[in-house]
């Protein structure tokens, strides 16, 4: 079964971001500001077919789960299924996506946010954080859509 390998790969993808976020500043002894996603000189970043496929599948998972969350009807099994599907797609992207280095660095920021949402949705931050985890993944996917050239991408409607 490949899933443990996929999870290791997904974790490895976020390690550079987590390491930077946890590193102390050189002389000011303050915290490093979180990385902020940027456009490519005012344009969206180019993507490849594996990224398109994986992100589209994550969008579908959010679109299936978010209405249950908003209605207060999501059960532990719904969150677990959601987390497993999104994790599977992140692993697929890590294994198959080949972007130019600057685009890849920007994608790492988005993937880090997605994985943080997955952890919450799977109950790793407590039962009350599960719904917020799904919303966090939706927000990360909206950020992806506004920064990567994924034709036909539709933003996910979030509550106000």
């Amino acid at each position: 079964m490949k899933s443990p390998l996929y999870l290791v790969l997904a974790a490895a993808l976020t390690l550079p971001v987590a390491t930077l976020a946890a590193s102390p500043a050189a002389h000011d002894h303050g915290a490093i500001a979180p990385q902020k996603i940027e456009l490519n000189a005012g344009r969206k970043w180019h993507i490849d077919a594996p990224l398109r496929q994986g992100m589209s599948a994550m969008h579908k998972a959010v679109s299936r789960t978010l209405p249950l969350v908003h209605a207060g009807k999501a059960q532990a099994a719904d969150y677990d299924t959601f987390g497993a599907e999104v994790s599977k797609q992140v692993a697929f992207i890590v294994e198959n996506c080949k972007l130019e280095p600057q685009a890849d660095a920007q994608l790492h920021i988005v993937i880090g946010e997605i994985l943080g949402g997955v952890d919450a949705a799977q109950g790793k931050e407590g039962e009350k954080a599960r719904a917020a985890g799904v919303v966090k993944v939706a927000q990360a996917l909206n950020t992806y859509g506004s920064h990567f050239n994924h034709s036909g991408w539709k933003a996910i409607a979030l509550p106000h």
Side-chain angles (χ1 to χ4, degrees):
M1 183 171 180
K2 290 186 178 180
S3 62
L5 174 60
Y6 290 147
L7 294 176
V8 169
L9 289 171
L13 175 67
T14 60
L15 184 59
V17 173
T19 301
L20 283 174
S23 299
H27 289 280
D28 67 4
H29 302 285
I32 291 177
Q35 289 184 329
K36 185 175 179 193
I37 190 164
E38 299 175 353
L39 290 168
N40 182 10
R43 293 195 164 120
K44 292 183 178 184
W45 298 97
H46 293 292
I47 67 170
D48 63 4
L51 181 56
R52 174 182 308 283
Q53 179 181 332
M55 289 300 207
S56 293
M58 283 188 242
H59 192 287
K60 287 179 185 173
V62 168
S63 296
R64 274 191 311 268
T65 308
L66 199 55
L68 294 172
V69 170
H70 290 319
K73 296 181 179 181
Q75 302 294 314
D78 298 314
Y79 291 117
D80 292 342
T81 299
F82 169 79
E85 175 61 21
V86 173
S87 294
K88 175 182 162 188
Q89 296 307 320
V90 168
F92 173 81
I93 290 168
V94 169
E95 187 173 307
N96 297 289
C97 180
K98 306 291 183 235
L99 299 179
E100 56 109 349
Q102 293 88 356
D104 190 62
Q106 297 302 303
L107 181 61
H108 282 222
I109 297 168
V110 173
I111 295 293
E113 289 296 311
I114 289 170
L115 291 175
V118 166
D119 282 350
Q122 290 182 319
K124 295 177 184 172
E125 296 176 11
E127 288 299 310
K128 293 181 180 180
R130 284 182 168 231
V134 176
V135 172
K136 185 172 184 172
V137 173
Q139 291 168 330
L141 291 176
N142 283 346
T143 298
Y144 162 80
S146 65
H147 288 80
F148 288 84
N149 191 12
H150 187 130
S151 64
W153 185 266
K154 295 193 187 315
I156 299 165
L158 296 171
H160 301 292

